[in-house]
Amino acid sequence: MEFSGTVLETGTDVSTVKEGDRVIGVSGFTGMAEECVIDQKALWQIPEGVPLREAASLPVSYGTAIMALEHRACTQPGETVLVTAAAGATGLAVIDVATHVLQAKVIAAAGSDEKCRLAVERGAQASVNYSQGSLRDAVTELVGSGGVNVAIDTVGGDIFLEALRSLAWEGRIVVVGFAGGNIASVSANLLLLKNISAMGVYWGRYRDQNFPVFSRSLSSALQYCQEGRIQPHIGVVFKLEEVNDAFLHVIQRKSTGKVLISLK
């Protein structure tokens, strides 16, 4: 759904990019090819100094992280952010943006000690291995009964509910996905008791519903990358002919950060 590359040629009515420009793009499922045809509105120019591989890691993961943290949760400097599936592409992007752009404190939650260590290396102040016990209890040990200000959840199910119960007064939880396979139901009294908010981020939907916000998330990601404020973590790069191995790598939960397909 996302790619980076160089413009080979343009149509007669194209004015925003030209042949030779380095760009990132957001497509349907046409990005995993040596060449693709795409509308100019779905392309953003890559600034000087940003490598193509780093740029390819930005659209979905960092677009989602920026949308969740800035646009939806309105995260403020000094607030505490809890992120689940913290070693995944989106999780690490949330850590990167929250820590290095928004100046928030991050608690990273993941399913193994190895993934927790990576999250801390990438900027989280603390980590929780939720395969070893209650996420809520571990968060309470770290921050006390007050809880966290923001939670970004990509797992769903029981992990989502524990993250919800870890929120502070007027805390905000953002639903990003359901990687665990289960979709939780929320009892409305949980929202009422601490005046908390539960909201969703379907980043791709903004492309149709509010394109300026969608575009701004990508422009911000490129700007942050050019300024050196964020640094995408590329876990592994596969060749195009190894695409099945790449999918297997993800399915078997071996991936950390972004998995890329290189066409060269």
Side-chain angles (χ1 to χ4, degrees), residues 22 43 45 53 76-77 80 83 87-88 90 95 97 116-117 147 158 170 174 180 182 199 214 249 251 255:
R22 300 184 318 132
L43 296 175
Q45 291 202 39
R53 285 189 175 183
Q76 300 300 307
T80 300
V83 56
T90 301
I95 292 171
V97 173
C116 285
R117 283 192 294 271
D158 291 339
E170 290 193 338
V174 184
N182 295 315
M199 62 192 81
F214 178 82
H249 185 77
I251 291 169
S255 61

Side-chain angles (χ1 to χ4, degrees), residues 136-150:
R136 183 188 183 189
D137 290 347
V139 170
T140 300
E141 285 186 22
L142 289 169
V143 300
S145 59
V148 299
N149 306 107
V150 176

Side-chain angles (χ1 to χ4, degrees), residues 80-104:
T80 300
V81 176
L82 171 66
V83 56
T84 64
T90 301
L92 289 176
V94 168
I95 292 171
D96 206 4
V97 173
T99 302
H100 301 120
V101 176
L102 301 177
Q103 306 302 311

Side-chain angles (χ1 to χ4, degrees), residues 34-224:
E34 292 175 321
E35 297 181 14
C36 67
V37 179
I38 192 163
D39 192 302
Q40 62 180 328
K41 294 179 181 178
L43 296 175
W44 288 258
Q45 291 202 39
I46 301 172
E48 286 187 26
V50 178
L52 283 174
R53 285 189 175 183
E54 284 193 8
S57 304
L58 294 176
V60 175
S61 299
Y62 277 83
T64 299
I66 290 167
M67 195 80 74
L69 289 165
E70 296 186 8
H71 183 69
R72 297 294 279 149
C74 300
T75 308
Q76 300 300 307
E79 289 192 314
T80 300
V81 176
L82 171 66
V83 56
T84 64
T90 301
L92 289 176
V94 168
I95 292 171
D96 206 4
V97 173
T99 302
H100 301 120
V101 176
L102 301 177
Q103 306 302 311
K105 296 173 287 187
V106 177
I107 297 174
S112 73
D113 289 340
E114 181 183 6
K115 290 180 177 180
C116 285
R117 283 192 294 271
L118 174 62
V120 172
E121 289 172 6
R122 301 298 296 182
Q125 278 69 42
S127 65
V128 174
N129 182 345
Y130 46 58
S131 70
Q132 296 181 348
S134 166
L135 173 60
R136 183 188 183 189
D137 290 347
V139 170
T140 300
E141 285 186 22
L142 289 169
V143 300
S145 59
V148 299
N149 306 107
V150 176
I152 311 292
D153 177 59
T154 63
V155 178
D158 291 339
I159 296 299
F160 165 81
L161 292 174
E162 291 203 47
L164 180 75
R165 291 187 172 96
S166 300
L167 289 177
W169 169 261
E170 290 193 338
R172 295 88 74 198
I173 188 167
V174 184
V175 179
V176 176
F178 314 100
N182 295 315
I183 299 175
S185 296
V186 180
S187 298
N189 65 305
L190 295 177
L191 306 180
L192 182 146
L193 291 173
K194 290 192 289 186
N195 280 15
I196 60 179
S197 301
M199 62 192 81
V201 161
Y202 180 0
W203 177 73
R205 186 79 184 274
Y206 278 90
R207 183 177 174 181
D208 299 321
Q209 297 293 322
N210 192 335
F211 186 79
V213 170
F214 178 82
S215 182
R216 188 162 60 245
S217 72
L218 285 174
S219 298
S220 295
L222 288 164
Q223 179 185 341
Y224 296 154

